[in-house]
Amino acid sequence: MALRRRVKRVGGSLGILLPRDFATAMHVKEGSEVRLTLVGNQVVVEPVEGSLDDGAFRRAFAAVLRRHRRAFGRLARYDRGEWQPPQR
């Protein structure tokens, strides 16, 4: 679901109200702590409770990379134009 909202001044900051449907789907309420992450020009809002901290995420991601090193290597070579999948 995507909605448009206007940015408003809140004290010395800027704010956007979180629609009730979004808050319910995210399981957040007044006083809940959320993490804001800037990805390019997008802001990702996620509840802190139940999410991995940065260190745990990095360890889990490193384990996935180790386990699937060969596949990720092929994907990287394909992105650079150095590898083509075999023809069937």
Side-chain angles (χ1 to χ4, degrees), residues 1 3 18-27:
M1 177 183 343
L3 297 174
L18 187 62
R20 182 178 295 162
D21 294 349
F22 282 43
T24 301
M26 294 171 58
H27 304 289

Side-chain angles (χ1 to χ4, degrees), residues 52-61:
L52 293 175
D53 63 41
D54 289 343
F57 174 80
R58 289 174 195 264
R59 287 189 299 276
F61 188 63

Side-chain angles (χ1 to χ4, degrees), residues 5-25:
R5 292 285 191 233
R6 292 211 183 268
V7 177
K8 298 181 181 184
R9 181 163 302 281
V10 180
S13 299
L14 299 176
I16 301 169
L17 293 177
L18 187 62
R20 182 178 295 162
D21 294 349
F22 282 43
T24 301

Side-chain angles (χ1 to χ4, degrees), residues 10-84:
V10 180
S13 299
L14 299 176
I16 301 169
L17 293 177
L18 187 62
R20 182 178 295 162
D21 294 349
F22 282 43
T24 301
M26 294 171 58
H27 304 289
V28 297
K29 57 186 178 191
E30 184 178 354
S32 294
E33 189 176 1
V34 295
R35 177 183 295 119
L36 302 177
T37 307
L38 187 60
V39 180
N41 65 348
Q42 298 179 5
V43 176
V44 177
V45 180
E46 61 184 332
V48 171
E49 187 174 313
S51 65
L52 293 175
D53 63 41
D54 289 343
F57 174 80
R58 289 174 195 264
R59 287 189 299 276
F61 188 63
V64 169
L65 287 177
R66 281 192 303 273
R67 182 172 182 180
H68 301 286
R69 179 185 331 231
R70 187 171 162 207
F72 282 114
R74 284 185 177 169
L75 286 170
R77 288 195 307 277
Y78 180 79
D79 282 346
R80 292 189 302 262
E82 301 169 359
W83 183 81
Q84 294 293 322

